[in-house]
Amino acid sequence: MNNVELAASNVKQANMVAMQIQGNITMVNQYLAMLTNLKNLPATMLQQARQPYFGQLNALNTLLGSVKRVGSASADVERAMTARISEAGKMGMDVATYMGYEQKMASTKGGYYKERLDQDISTISNAQDRAAQLRAVSEQTQAITGNVEGLQLLNQQSTMMAGELVEIKTALLTQSAERNSDSINKQNSNAAHATTLQNAGAVGTALNTRNGGSSVKAPTPWTDGVSP
């Protein structure tokens, strides 16, 4: 539940920050339009006057993209965790027990359960990566985007959510590794069995060849029908 609430809060915060950044982008574009409409301004001076605004636009657009990706990744986490809570409730389990059940089914049955396990790992990894990217972009563009209201809170919440998901991801990766290990062991066992059968066949062939044929012939009966 904590992860769901934190992810949902992150989605709302990301949407709010994105709207504010978009407003700043609109304002910078308006300044650029005003400069462009100035008459009798030498081209060199116009370019110099516009250049800082181009830098601001690049920084704001980069930050906007990062914020939107954090919001999208957080929404994916919210959906995944909400689905687990709902499914656990239907089966009369707590979430931890249900996820353990899903992991066991992924290991023993594969198929749908394996796909769900792999998707959960991907969803969590993506959320963690997006949180790290937002922190990096915020630091790189701080001179321009440092006054974006709510950005610091979004960074804090994203980092907190990524940290909360570490334990879940570790458990899922452990189960995935165990499943892969079981699969490899089974393949090795099958290969060893096949090799044993091949070796047995080779020994049988060698014995038959040494005895002069591929099979033992029955004795030829006497022509008079009387035993010797």
Side-chain angles (χ1 to χ4, degrees), residues 27-202:
M27 184 172 61
V28 172
N29 279 324
Q30 289 174 347
Y31 287 151
L32 284 170
M34 290 172 59
L35 287 172
T36 302
N37 292 332
L38 290 177
K39 296 181 179 180
N40 301 322
L41 188 66
T44 302
M45 292 182 62
L46 177 61
Q47 182 63 24
Q48 290 177 348
R50 287 161 54 103
Q51 194 61 41
Y53 293 107
F54 288 135
Q56 291 182 30
L57 277 179
N58 287 335
L60 288 168
N61 279 308
T62 299
L63 182 62
L64 178 61
S66 185
V67 167
K68 287 182 175 180
R69 286 188 288 272
V70 163
S72 177
S74 299
D76 289 341
V77 170
E78 182 185 6
R79 281 191 293 269
M81 294 296 105
T82 300
R84 296 305 180 281
I85 293 173
S86 175
E87 291 160 2
K90 292 177 182 178
M91 297 185 69
M93 301 178 180
D94 59 68
V95 179
T97 302
Y98 175 77
M99 293 189 72
Y101 163 78
E102 268 205 340
Q103 292 169 19
K104 182 177 180 181
M105 294 299 289
S107 177
T108 58
K109 299 295 184 181
Y112 167 78
Y113 294 99
K114 176 184 178 299
E115 292 177 2
R116 287 285 293 270
L117 178 65
D118 292 342
Q119 183 60 48
D120 285 344
I121 294 172
S122 177
T123 296
I124 293 174
S125 295
N126 185 54
Q128 292 173 327
D129 290 343
R130 297 311 186 190
Q133 291 171 4
L134 178 60
R135 290 196 304 273
V137 170
S138 298
E139 292 174 359
Q140 293 168 4
T141 61
Q142 187 173 10
I144 296 173
T145 63
N147 61 343
V148 175
E149 185 178 353
L151 178 59
Q152 183 177 358
L153 178 58
L154 178 60
N155 267 310
Q156 291 173 348
Q157 288 186 174
S158 299
T159 300
M160 186 182 300
M161 184 181 71
E164 291 288 335
L165 293 173
V166 168
E167 185 175 350
I168 296 177
K169 181 180 177 181
T170 299
L172 296 179
L173 286 173
T174 299
Q175 181 62 43
S176 181
E178 290 175 355
R179 186 184 72 240
N180 292 335
S181 178
D182 290 342
S183 177
I184 292 173
N185 289 337
K186 184 176 180 180
Q187 292 175 4
N188 290 340
S189 177
N190 291 339
H193 182 61
T195 300
T196 300
L197 292 178
Q198 291 175 355
N199 291 339

